[in-house]
Amino acid sequence: MRIFLLGVVSVLTLLTGCAQSSESSETEEFTLAHNMPADHPIHESLVDFQRILEEKSNGNMKLRIYGNEQLGSEREAIEMTQTNAIQFTKVSASALEGFSESYSLFSMPYLFDSQEQYRETMKMPEIQDAFYNKTADNGFIGITYYDAGVRNMYTNDRILESNDDMHGLRTRVQPSQTSVQMIEALGGTPTPMGFGEVYTALQSGMLDAAENNESALTDNNHGEVAKHYFYTEHAMVPDILIMNVDAFNDLSEQQQEWVQEAAAESTELHEPRWDESMEEAREIAEEEMGVTFHDVDKSSFMEAVEPLQETFQQNEATKEQYDLIMGENDNE
Ligand code: GCU
């Protein structure tokens, strides 16, 4: 809470600073918040976005980046983006589910067939209309996506051979209804909470398990308190860069293009960086933190979530997006 309050104070200070500097030198300054530490690949890719935007605009569009939940959790950062207290934030698509139902689709287990197809889909121009522009009435739009890896289960000490072993497992999920339904379908006990709270909850035994990409073990230190990681590969939930819609509309056409181009270029740079970071994370987790990585037979996990997948097939609210992604699956 204290960090959040400090965050609010900084945002107010920033806003004042922003207005003054734009009057005096025509330089525009924007604020971007996210929840990862400075050595996380997503932070580095956002720094790419910052650098490219500044280069394209000849130094006239500057970005201040606040990572590590300094300005609050994902939910709080989205709310600050809605009111233009900050202009950008990077959040999991899962956190956007509460603002636009279309985003719930990304938390549907086993949505994508492969990482290649996931990346191709996320870069299709149609994604813009099907997802990014749908939240304009909520005060923000999507600008680009960043690969946030494949989500897998990890536990304090429980061994998972099939989804039966998840029975009664208190499992952290992102605060999204679809994620809650997924863990219920798998037989676990879903415990929604913000990412910043997970380490302590695992450490205190309040949680038995969580699910995330490999970097959660290292960059966020969960490998200190969770010693088994299982390749259930149940979801690929993208990170989305969102921007306040008025801040975007207030830009000149040229500036809007720079924002879009800088974001797209940073997404391209992010992909190889991501792959390398995940390999490194596994190595560090295994060798320095004593985490054991397990291959699992995914079939029981996939079967258990079929009813949830069926509800998406019939959901009119996400049909346009579902068809778009499935069309891309079939084209493989
Ligand atoms: C991923 C994702 C984050 C998200 C986190 C979570 O790491 O990149 O944006 O906050 O998962 O599980 O909450």
Side-chain angles (χ1 to χ4, degrees):
M1 183 48 129
R2 191 184 310 147
I3 294 179
F4 176 60
L5 287 178
L6 279 175
V8 173
V9 173
S10 333
V11 169
L12 295 175
T13 321
L14 285 178
L15 278 177
T16 328
C18 172
Q20 279 169 353
S21 73
S22 79
E23 267 166 36
S24 55
S25 68
E26 293 190 6
T27 299
E28 291 186 63
E29 224 168 58
F30 306 92
T31 302
L32 184 158
H34 69 91
N35 65 347
M36 290 294 162
D39 52 0
H40 192 278
I42 189 71
H43 177 79
E44 294 171 13
S45 301
L46 292 167
V47 170
D48 279 335
F49 172 55
Q50 174 190 49
R51 176 182 52 78
I52 300 170
L53 184 62
E54 198 169 328
E55 279 167 12
K56 283 185 187 287
S57 64
N58 287 323
N60 285 330
M61 293 175 83
K62 291 193 189 297
L63 201 60
R64 294 201 211 191
I65 302 180
Y66 292 83
N68 240 340
E69 291 194 1
Q70 281 177 82
L71 303 191
S73 65
E74 288 199 323
R75 169 110 206 162
E76 287 157 345
I78 297 169
E79 285 167 2
M80 285 190 275
T81 309
Q82 284 185 295
T83 59
N84 209 10
I86 63 174
Q87 291 67 51
F88 295 94
T89 184
K90 182 288 308 168
V91 291
S92 173
S94 187
L96 295 172
E97 182 174 326
F99 298 86
S100 163
E101 197 175 344
S102 56
Y103 281 103
S104 63
L105 192 57
F106 290 121
S107 298
M108 178 190 120
Y110 300 105
L111 172 68
F112 294 106
D113 291 342
S114 66
Q115 190 195 39
E116 294 68 43
Q117 183 247 330
Y118 159 58
R119 286 180 172 179
E120 270 170 36
T121 307
M122 292 311 300
K123 285 184 282 190
M124 281 163 57
E126 293 90 323
I127 290 286
Q128 192 87 23
D129 290 328
F131 292 93
Y132 294 171
N133 295 337
K134 289 270 189 287
T135 53
D137 289 347
N138 288 307
F140 63 87
I141 51 169
I143 299 289
T144 192
Y145 106 101
Y146 295 103
D147 193 334
V150 183
R151 297 182 79 93
N152 297 292
M153 295 290 169
Y154 52 98
T155 65
N156 288 343
D157 50 19
R158 183 92 67 103
I159 301 297
L160 307 181
E161 278 170 9
S162 75
N163 83 292
D164 283 347
D165 300 315
M166 288 208 42
H167 187 73
L169 220 61
R170 282 163 301 178
T171 308
R172 182 265 172 169
V173 287
Q174 291 179 277
S176 101
Q177 201 199 343
T178 312
S179 308
V180 166
Q181 288 169 333
M182 173 184 72
I183 295 299
E184 276 168 359
L186 289 172
T189 305
T191 310
M193 65 176 74
F195 191 56
E197 299 166 65
V198 182
Y199 179 94
T200 313
L202 282 167
Q203 188 182 38
S204 69
M206 183 191 156
L207 287 175
D208 307 304
E211 48 85 55
N212 217 317
N213 59 60
E214 294 87 335
S215 76
L217 300 171
T218 51
D219 291 327
N220 310 99
N221 301 320
H222 295 182
E224 289 174 4
V225 287
K227 296 300 180 189
H228 293 278
Y229 191 88
F230 303 88
Y231 285 109
T232 47
E233 298 181 330
H234 54 271
M236 293 180 223
V237 184
D239 275 352
I240 309 287
L241 177 66
I242 62 167
M243 182 176 185
N244 175 273
V245 68
D246 294 332
F248 184 80
N249 289 336
D250 284 347
L251 298 175
S252 68
E253 251 176 58
Q254 174 67 85
Q255 287 176 316
Q256 291 180 350
E257 256 173 50
W258 287 332
V259 168
Q260 304 276 17
E261 287 168 8
E265 286 172 36
S266 67
T267 291
E268 288 298 334
L269 293 170
H270 178 73
E271 291 179 351
R273 169 180 291 135
W274 182 265
D275 294 339
E276 209 179 294
S277 303
M278 289 313 107
E279 273 174 39
E280 257 173 45
R282 174 170 173 159
E283 235 172 79
I284 295 171
E286 243 167 0
E287 287 166 20
E288 295 172 24
M289 304 175 105
V291 177
T292 308
F293 287 77
H294 304 262
D295 284 324
V296 285
D297 176 2
K298 290 186 293 188
S299 54
S300 69
F301 292 87
M302 292 175 97
E303 243 171 69
V305 297
E306 271 170 22
L308 178 57
Q309 292 174 321
E310 277 158 26
T311 63
F312 274 98
Q313 282 156 22
Q314 286 149 22
N315 186 352
E316 281 303 315
T318 51
K319 191 178 178 336
E320 176 196 350
Q321 293 79 6
Y322 184 86
D323 290 346
L324 175 72
I325 294 175
M326 289 306 146
E328 193 59 13
N329 276 0
D330 293 345
N331 291 340
E332 279 240 298

